[in-house]
Amino acid sequence: MKIDIKHIAKLSRLKVDDSEIEKFEKDMENIVSMIENLSDLEDTGSLLDKDNSMVLREDVAQNNFKRDELMQNAPQTKAGCVVVPKVVE
Amino acid sequence: MELFRYTATEISDMLKNKECSSVEVTKSVLDRIDEVEDKVGSFVTVTKELALEKAREVDEKIAKGESLSNLAGIPIAIKDNICTKGVKTTCSSKMLENFVPPYNATVIEKLNNCDYVPVGKLNMDEFAMGSSTETSYFKKTKNPHNLDCVPGGSSGGSASSVSAGETMLSLGSDTGGSIRLPASYCGVVGLKPTYSSVSRYGLIAFASSLDQIGPIGRSVSDVAMLYSAICGRDNLDATSAIREYPDFRANLNTDIKGKVIGLPKEYFGKGVSDNVKEAVLNLSKELEKQGAILKEISLPSTDYALNAYYIISSAEASSNLARFDGVKYGYRASDYNGLVDMYEKTRSEGFGDEVKRRILLGTFVLSSGYYDAYYKKAKLLQQKISAEFNDAFDACDVILTPTAPDVAFKIGENTNDPLKMYASDICTTTVNIAGLPALSIPCGYDNNLPIGAQLIGRKFGEQTLLNTAFAYESLVGGFNKIPDIK
């Protein structure tokens, strides 16, 4: 099976150099062929863990973080905001 | 004997009896880091000042006669994918090279409440993707038993630091074997707990349905003590189980009379080296002499587990790692033309090859037209593997296997062949897929490199695993042997 690395890379928001395409293609095909020889499996029930149903906490707003602490990790800030490239023309 | 050579359990008792101070212990460990870290390379960050400050606080509390936790004053190092407030947490990636978390993971909050001494942050495979710690952006960690060999991965620094005496205990994380494999390669004890028993809040996610934080130490009791400190329900992790846990260290005993130990034939087949097989079977015979009953069992889907693991973990990783876009935190490319170009350049420059490979694979198996063929099939396989384990545990209490098919390999030996690298996880991934607990313990040497045995238990059956390991440890006179580093 041929895998369209360019398309997958676009979906993944990754740039793949033309020189790397062949390498990734081969890696991917090897990995995919591992699962292709699986026999058909019967769907035997729910995929959720019946013993451990998740309990959600109350949806209450909490003030856990200070703005300036969070902003310290931002790559680029201005006037207390994160700077990003222009999105709307 | 220098203090860094003792186990955490011994130091804990010595602190209580005022035979040493936490500052003395911490200095001994920090001196050991100064002595061997250039050779071993376990750490991304050493927090020397923080460690000494904390140790002084603990000594003051002891002097005042305050009642303290077993872990008070004990140096513990943390894998660098577990968030530590104010201390860089890099995931050994260029993407998070300068990331300083504004919050603590729940396990860190718990250890702070125990007054642990934070020694530093440990090297790992980038985003925990790897089996050798060679995919770290920063450096290659060496195996303390042979500096030409890998320490295993992805928690390579967590195992090498404990093995080399650079810390008494460490935390790692295990998605497909990332605690057990390095524990095995470095000759230490590593526990991958039952899925949902330890909160994942603040653990930078790789594959959320498989990831678990767990302890590594130089004795079974050390691991039991650290596990007791970190397990438990956390409202910040909706998947964490609501239940009570015993004091695992206090409940340790060596009585394994009548315990049935299953030996699944699939784990002793081709691909497993003869010396590893022999060492693990010898261990089983020692347990038999102590009154355990050996039973050959079969887990037929084992051969397919690695496939299911790579599909499920890569799928989840591709989704989890979508957050690294260069906007709010982490690396951002410097030259770009518009938003999409910024995303693409940031991610392409910030992630290493192995991470990209898994994001691409994960995106592929989840993409339109392929979901049923790959992801759904892998999830069905997961059901089948879990059901086979359930059946096996009707007939036995513990399952014994090798942790890895062979001892540690040479640095660089498998880096160009992902499938060969993935094969080192062949004995460990089934456990994550089924959400079970498993413990790796040393059981011999091959060519001066440690061999590890894996004990797998029922969900929440950690005490049985620890007791079985404790019985063997008592028999061989302890696992605490720090190698000469040369």
Short mmCIF file of all heavy atoms in Angstrom, two decimals, chain B residues 330-356:
data_model
loop_
_atom_site.label_atom_id
_atom_site.label_comp_id
_atom_site.label_asym_id
_atom_site.label_seq_id
_atom_site.Cartn_x
_atom_site.Cartn_y
_atom_site.Cartn_z
N GLY B 330 6.29 27.20 24.82
CA GLY B 330 7.19 26.34 24.05
C GLY B 330 7.87 27.09 22.92
O GLY B 330 7.77 28.30 22.80
N TYR B 331 8.57 26.30 22.11
CA TYR B 331 9.36 26.85 21.01
C TYR B 331 8.48 27.50 19.95
O TYR B 331 7.36 27.06 19.71
CB TYR B 331 10.17 25.70 20.39
CG TYR B 331 10.98 26.09 19.18
CD1 TYR B 331 12.19 26.76 19.31
CD2 TYR B 331 10.53 25.77 17.91
CE1 TYR B 331 12.92 27.11 18.19
CE2 TYR B 331 11.25 26.11 16.78
CZ TYR B 331 12.45 26.79 16.93
OH TYR B 331 13.17 27.14 15.82
N ARG B 332 8.97 28.60 19.34
CA ARG B 332 8.33 29.16 18.16
C ARG B 332 9.42 29.45 17.12
O ARG B 332 10.46 30.04 17.46
CB ARG B 332 7.58 30.45 18.49
CG ARG B 332 6.87 31.03 17.27
CD ARG B 332 6.31 32.42 17.52
NE ARG B 332 5.12 32.40 18.37
CZ ARG B 332 4.32 33.46 18.52
NH1 ARG B 332 4.58 34.61 17.89
NH2 ARG B 332 3.28 33.40 19.32
N ALA B 333 9.19 29.02 15.87
CA ALA B 333 10.15 29.30 14.80
C ALA B 333 10.33 30.80 14.66
O ALA B 333 9.42 31.58 14.98
CB ALA B 333 9.67 28.69 13.49
N SER B 334 11.49 31.23 14.19
CA SER B 334 11.72 32.68 14.14
C SER B 334 11.28 33.30 12.80
O SER B 334 10.83 34.44 12.77
CB SER B 334 13.18 32.99 14.43
OG SER B 334 14.03 32.16 13.68
N ASP B 335 11.40 32.56 11.70
CA ASP B 335 10.98 33.11 10.40
C ASP B 335 9.77 32.37 9.89
O ASP B 335 9.82 31.16 9.72
CB ASP B 335 12.10 32.93 9.37
CG ASP B 335 13.21 33.93 9.59
OD1 ASP B 335 12.87 35.09 9.93
OD2 ASP B 335 14.38 33.55 9.43
N TYR B 336 8.68 33.09 9.66
CA TYR B 336 7.50 32.41 9.12
C TYR B 336 6.65 33.41 8.38
O TYR B 336 6.76 34.64 8.56
CB TYR B 336 6.70 31.73 10.22
CG TYR B 336 6.46 32.60 11.42
CD1 TYR B 336 5.42 33.53 11.46
CD2 TYR B 336 7.29 32.51 12.54
CE1 TYR B 336 5.22 34.34 12.55
CE2 TYR B 336 7.10 33.32 13.65
CZ TYR B 336 6.06 34.23 13.64
OH TYR B 336 5.86 35.04 14.73
N ASN B 337 5.77 32.86 7.56
CA ASN B 337 4.92 33.69 6.74
C ASN B 337 3.46 33.31 7.00
O ASN B 337 2.92 32.43 6.34
CB ASN B 337 5.32 33.48 5.27
CG ASN B 337 4.52 34.36 4.34
OD1 ASN B 337 3.92 35.34 4.77
ND2 ASN B 337 4.48 33.99 3.06
N GLY B 338 2.87 33.90 7.99
CA GLY B 338 1.47 33.61 8.31
C GLY B 338 1.34 32.50 9.35
O GLY B 338 2.32 31.87 9.75
N LEU B 339 0.09 32.29 9.79
CA LEU B 339 -0.18 31.40 10.92
C LEU B 339 0.16 29.94 10.64
O LEU B 339 0.86 29.30 11.43
CB LEU B 339 -1.66 31.54 11.32
CG LEU B 339 -2.04 30.89 12.65
CD1 LEU B 339 -1.40 31.61 13.82
CD2 LEU B 339 -3.56 30.86 12.82
N VAL B 340 -0.32 29.42 9.51
CA VAL B 340 -0.11 28.00 9.21
C VAL B 340 1.39 27.72 9.05
O VAL B 340 1.91 26.71 9.55
CB VAL B 340 -0.90 27.57 7.95
CG1 VAL B 340 -0.50 26.17 7.53
CG2 VAL B 340 -2.39 27.64 8.24
N ASP B 341 2.07 28.64 8.39
CA ASP B 341 3.51 28.47 8.22
C ASP B 341 4.22 28.48 9.59
O ASP B 341 5.17 27.74 9.81
CB ASP B 341 4.05 29.58 7.32
CG ASP B 341 5.46 29.28 6.82
OD1 ASP B 341 5.69 28.13 6.40
OD2 ASP B 341 6.32 30.18 6.86
N MET B 342 3.71 29.31 10.50
CA MET B 342 4.30 29.35 11.85
C MET B 342 4.11 28.00 12.55
O MET B 342 5.04 27.45 13.13
CB MET B 342 3.66 30.45 12.69
CG MET B 342 4.30 30.58 14.08
SD MET B 342 3.41 31.71 15.17
CE MET B 342 2.18 30.63 15.86
N TYR B 343 2.89 27.45 12.47
CA TYR B 343 2.64 26.12 13.05
C TYR B 343 3.61 25.10 12.48
O TYR B 343 4.26 24.36 13.20
CB TYR B 343 1.23 25.62 12.70
CG TYR B 343 0.07 26.35 13.34
CD1 TYR B 343 -1.18 26.36 12.70
CD2 TYR B 343 0.17 26.97 14.57
CE1 TYR B 343 -2.28 26.99 13.26
CE2 TYR B 343 -0.93 27.61 15.14
CZ TYR B 343 -2.15 27.61 14.48
OH TYR B 343 -3.24 28.22 15.04
N GLU B 344 3.67 25.07 11.15
CA GLU B 344 4.44 24.00 10.50
C GLU B 344 5.93 24.11 10.78
O GLU B 344 6.59 23.11 11.05
CB GLU B 344 4.17 24.02 8.98
CG GLU B 344 2.76 23.55 8.65
CD GLU B 344 2.49 23.44 7.17
OE1 GLU B 344 3.30 23.96 6.36
OE2 GLU B 344 1.46 22.86 6.81
N LYS B 345 6.44 25.35 10.72
CA LYS B 345 7.88 25.51 10.97
C LYS B 345 8.20 25.25 12.44
O LYS B 345 9.21 24.61 12.76
CB LYS B 345 8.34 26.91 10.57
CG LYS B 345 8.50 27.03 9.07
CD LYS B 345 9.33 28.25 8.69
CE LYS B 345 9.60 28.24 7.19
NZ LYS B 345 9.25 29.52 6.56
N THR B 346 7.34 25.74 13.33
CA THR B 346 7.56 25.52 14.76
C THR B 346 7.63 24.04 15.08
O THR B 346 8.55 23.56 15.76
CB THR B 346 6.40 26.16 15.57
OG1 THR B 346 6.48 27.58 15.42
CG2 THR B 346 6.47 25.79 17.04
N ARG B 347 6.67 23.28 14.56
CA ARG B 347 6.60 21.86 14.87
C ARG B 347 7.73 21.08 14.19
O ARG B 347 8.29 20.15 14.77
CB ARG B 347 5.22 21.30 14.48
CG ARG B 347 4.12 21.85 15.39
CD ARG B 347 2.74 21.63 14.81
NE ARG B 347 2.37 20.23 14.65
CZ ARG B 347 2.01 19.41 15.63
NH1 ARG B 347 1.98 19.85 16.87
NH2 ARG B 347 1.67 18.16 15.38
N SER B 348 8.05 21.48 12.97
CA SER B 348 9.10 20.76 12.24
C SER B 348 10.48 21.00 12.86
O SER B 348 11.32 20.12 12.88
CB SER B 348 9.11 21.17 10.77
OG SER B 348 7.85 20.93 10.22
N GLU B 349 10.69 22.22 13.37
CA GLU B 349 11.98 22.53 13.99
C GLU B 349 12.03 22.08 15.46
O GLU B 349 13.09 21.76 15.98
CB GLU B 349 12.24 24.05 13.92
CG GLU B 349 12.48 24.55 12.51
CD GLU B 349 12.41 26.08 12.39
OE1 GLU B 349 12.53 26.78 13.42
OE2 GLU B 349 12.21 26.56 11.25
N GLY B 350 10.87 22.06 16.12
CA GLY B 350 10.83 21.78 17.56
C GLY B 350 10.83 20.31 17.92
O GLY B 350 11.28 19.92 18.99
N PHE B 351 10.28 19.46 17.03
CA PHE B 351 10.20 18.02 17.31
C PHE B 351 11.34 17.28 16.62
O PHE B 351 11.73 17.61 15.50
CB PHE B 351 8.90 17.43 16.77
CG PHE B 351 7.65 17.84 17.49
CD1 PHE B 351 6.51 18.20 16.78
CD2 PHE B 351 7.58 17.84 18.88
CE1 PHE B 351 5.34 18.58 17.42
CE2 PHE B 351 6.41 18.20 19.53
CZ PHE B 351 5.29 18.57 18.80
N GLY B 352 11.83 16.22 17.26
CA GLY B 352 12.83 15.34 16.64
C GLY B 352 12.17 14.30 15.74
O GLY B 352 10.94 14.20 15.68
N ASP B 353 13.00 13.51 15.05
CA ASP B 353 12.51 12.56 14.06
C ASP B 353 11.54 11.51 14.61
O ASP B 353 10.55 11.18 13.98
CB ASP B 353 13.70 11.82 13.42
CG ASP B 353 14.22 12.57 12.21
OD1 ASP B 353 13.62 13.61 11.86
OD2 ASP B 353 15.23 12.13 11.63
N GLU B 354 11.88 10.94 15.79
CA GLU B 354 11.02 9.88 16.32
C GLU B 354 9.63 10.42 16.66
O GLU B 354 8.62 9.77 16.40
CB GLU B 354 11.67 9.23 17.55
CG GLU B 354 10.90 8.07 18.17
CD GLU B 354 10.73 6.88 17.21
OE1 GLU B 354 11.58 6.69 16.33
OE2 GLU B 354 9.73 6.15 17.36
N VAL B 355 9.60 11.62 17.21
CA VAL B 355 8.31 12.23 17.55
C VAL B 355 7.52 12.49 16.27
O VAL B 355 6.32 12.18 16.19
CB VAL B 355 8.52 13.53 18.36
CG1 VAL B 355 7.20 14.24 18.60
CG2 VAL B 355 9.20 13.22 19.68
N LYS B 356 8.19 13.02 15.24
CA LYS B 356 7.50 13.27 13.97
C LYS B 356 6.97 11.97 13.37
O LYS B 356 5.85 11.93 12.86
CB LYS B 356 8.47 13.91 12.97
CG LYS B 356 8.76 15.36 13.25
CD LYS B 356 9.65 15.92 12.15
CE LYS B 356 10.43 17.09 12.68
NZ LYS B 356 11.52 17.50 11.80
#
